[in-house]
Amino acid sequence: MFGAGQQNLNASRLKSGIVNEPDPTISKSLTVSFATGVSVKRSLGEDWNIRTGMNYNKITESNVDVSYVEIPVISEYKIVNKHLKIYFTNGFGAGFKQSELYPLGMTGFSFLYPLNKSIDFNLEPSYKHVFGKEWTYKADFYGMMAGFSVKF
């Protein structure tokens, strides 16, 4: 399943995003999210990848800060394989806030544009849902992440 020709490990991520979400208690609200981390991607065949890593996330809305560490496991399915590669992504993870563990579900798309043989620019619009009553003021997050992938 993991033949020598299919070993493709990517380390990636320095990502940030700005998210516009309505807050029911405030008429207009800007949510700012910053995330940084490292992930490793493994090819599972021609169209499938699996990605995992560790991200530090900080979300600020209306002077409320939420910081947490996230360990995602994400599957990627290639839906377009032209010069611009497009993947459908879906996965789960764990968010660690203070001493508590919160399960996460996530889905989105990943757009990869190759800059050369070993570096890709990626753009990832995504949706995350955090399971757990005590997480924060809201459990759903929409975001746009950008970063670079480096192939070794």
Side-chain angles (χ1 to χ4, degrees):
M1 182 184 247
F2 299 110
Q6 294 180 345
Q7 284 189 349
N8 182 13
L9 297 178
N10 291 342
S12 67
R13 298 298 181 270
L14 178 56
K15 56 188 180 176
S16 63
I18 296 177
V19 183
N20 288 312
E21 293 184 25
D23 185 340
T25 61
I26 299 172
S27 61
K28 290 190 176 183
S29 177
L30 176 67
T31 301
V32 178
S33 170
F34 174 77
T36 186
V38 175
S39 67
V40 177
K41 184 189 301 187
R42 176 72 178 202
S43 177
L44 298 177
E46 190 173 316
D47 294 331
W48 287 94
N49 296 320
I50 192 162
R51 184 174 74 200
T52 189
M54 184 182 301
N55 300 321
Y56 170 78
N57 296 278
K58 182 174 182 177
I59 301 165
T60 304
E61 180 179 27
S62 305
N63 298 325
V64 176
D65 288 337
V66 176
S67 299
Y68 67 99
V69 174
E70 170 186 83
I71 300 176
V73 177
I74 300 170
S75 64
E76 300 177 330
Y77 180 73
K78 191 182 308 175
I79 54 179
V80 174
N81 190 17
K82 302 287 183 188
H83 191 66
L84 173 69
K85 294 178 173 74
I86 301 174
Y87 293 89
F88 171 72
T89 60
N90 197 14
F92 61 92
F96 298 93
K97 187 178 93 174
Q98 297 170 350
S99 62
E100 299 293 321
L101 170 73
Y102 296 92
L104 306 168
M106 55 199 83
T107 190
F109 290 93
S110 180
F111 301 91
L112 278 81
Y113 182 80
L115 300 175
N116 61 32
K117 282 186 165 185
S118 60
I119 298 175
D120 293 333
F121 173 73
N122 58 14
L123 188 66
E124 297 183 15
S126 64
Y127 163 79
K128 289 183 188 177
H129 180 79
V130 181
F131 300 95
K133 293 183 204 175
E134 304 292 325
W135 170 255
T136 182
Y137 48 95
K138 63 178 117 179
D140 297 308
F141 298 96
Y142 299 91
M144 178 70 71
M145 305 300 176
F148 293 93
S149 297
V150 180
K151 297 175 190 157
F152 295 100

